[in-house]
Amino acid sequence: MGSIASRITVAMITLNEELAVGKVIGDIRRVAPEAEILVVDSSSDRTPDLAESLGARVVRQFPPRGYGPAMDRALREGRGDVTVTLDCDDTYPVEFIEPMARLVLEDGFDLVDGSRLATKPAAMPLFNYLANRAFAMLASMLFMRRVTDLHSGMRAYRRGLIDRLDYDPRGAALPVELLLRAIRAGARIKVVAIPYRPRIGESTMRPLQSAWWTLKRIWASRFA
Ligand SMILES: Nc1nc2c(ncn2[C@@H]2O[C@H](COP(=O)(O)OP(=O)(O)O)[C@@H](O)[C@H]2O)c(=O)[nH]1
Ligand SMILES: [Mg+2]
């Protein structure tokens, strides 16, 4: 059995995060010393070497194939009973790793969604916030269930859940489909409000492309 932390995989995907990776892995180690730290890396900078030297298990996906294929790999590669995902950019609260994992391991939830959008985070531009709220409202209507944050990078997934979901990992905004397909599959889902900080380094997210893929993924999750 062992402690809770020894049953957790903390999974991150990384594209040139050498400014942030040291701090983020250090923070994870501090709150969950026994957790497996898994990094699916597509960087051309020193990120993978730094991650490995700090004790992470690094899986290379190079050349980069985009967010979706990297996240798909990360969710299948973890050895823990629960995989908690985070961006490797210091935006997400590591203090929530263990509480979110417990909701899966002890309280029977299959997916715990860290929602950033209870109120507008200072780290998110107003337009992005309003667009995300609108998408969440659309999804809530189509799925007849309150959804608040379709794009969170911080979630806890029960091992094996991912194998029950049928999605195409290619393209932007994969978190939308990971959440909505899980709802459609009847998974037990818990939403937890989390704080969201400004990022270290530059975002790779492209707003228009993300918006288009978000609509396509909402539609596919509901009707395909
Ligand atoms: N392995 C891998 N990671 C990626 C890729 N694209 C983005 N990432 C990582 O995915 C996470 C989310 O990207 P980010 O730029 O923070 O997007 P944002 O949170 O929407 O602003 C970060 O940890 C990135 O380093 C990719 O092609 N491959
Ligand atoms: Mg990010």
Side-chain angles (χ1 to χ4, degrees):
M1 275 294 292
S3 71
I4 281 280
S6 68
R7 299 173 62 194
I8 302 174
T9 295
V10 180
M12 298 187 288
I13 65 173
T14 51
L15 182 68
N16 301 330
E17 300 286 5
E18 67 180 7
L19 294 178
V21 64
K23 173 172 193 293
V24 175
I25 291 181
D27 287 350
I28 295 167
R29 280 249 171 277
R30 181 168 49 75
V31 296
E34 295 163 81
E36 173 186 50
I37 300 179
L38 170 68
V39 172
V40 175
D41 177 78
S42 311
S43 304
S44 46
D45 68 3
R46 292 158 56 234
T47 303
D49 308 325
L50 291 168
E52 208 155 62
S53 74
L54 294 167
R57 177 156 71 93
V58 177
V59 174
R60 284 280 278 173
Q61 188 177 74
F62 197 86
R65 293 174 52 197
Y67 182 103
M71 181 53 71
D72 184 57
R73 182 81 194 270
L75 292 174
R76 292 173 199 282
E77 191 75 35
R79 294 174 181 152
D81 296 327
V82 57
T83 293
V84 180
T85 61
L86 296 175
D87 285 3
C88 190
D89 57 7
D90 197 40
T91 47
Y92 288 100
V94 295
E95 295 75 21
F96 281 72
I97 291 171
E98 190 171 318
M100 287 172 68
R102 277 185 192 278
L103 286 165
V104 172
L105 296 174
E106 294 176 348
D107 297 332
F109 291 101
D110 300 309
L111 171 54
V112 181
D113 184 31
S115 170
R116 307 161 294 172
L117 302 178
T119 57
K120 182 188 139 350
M124 188 179 290
L126 180 63
F127 182 81
N128 295 25
Y129 173 71
L130 293 175
N132 283 336
R133 287 300 295 253
F135 288 135
M137 227 186 290
L138 174 64
S140 300
M141 288 189 298
L142 288 175
F143 286 80
M144 291 193 295
R145 168 187 179 123
R146 195 168 137 74
V147 175
T148 53
D149 187 356
L150 290 167
H151 298 92
S152 181
M154 184 165 193
R155 294 190 182 145
Y157 297 84
R158 178 184 298 283
R159 182 195 194 110
L161 171 65
I162 212 70
D163 302 322
R164 293 164 50 200
L165 311 179
D166 180 24
Y167 56 84
D168 186 346
R170 291 168 301 175
L174 182 62
V176 173
E177 217 163 327
L178 295 173
L179 179 64
L180 296 180
R181 294 259 181 195
I183 292 175
R184 188 160 164 197
R188 286 153 297 183
I189 296 171
K190 172 81 175 169
V191 177
V192 172
I194 57 167
Y196 185 65
R197 289 188 298 255
R199 163 191 228 305
I200 296 176
E202 299 273 318
S203 172
T204 54
M205 202 263 288
R206 293 155 68 185
L208 282 179
Q209 184 178 306
S210 173
W212 173 236
W213 276 94
T214 296
L215 284 174
K216 285 203 289 189
R217 290 195 188 278
I218 292 172
W219 199 259
S221 302
R222 180 63 184 81
F223 299 112

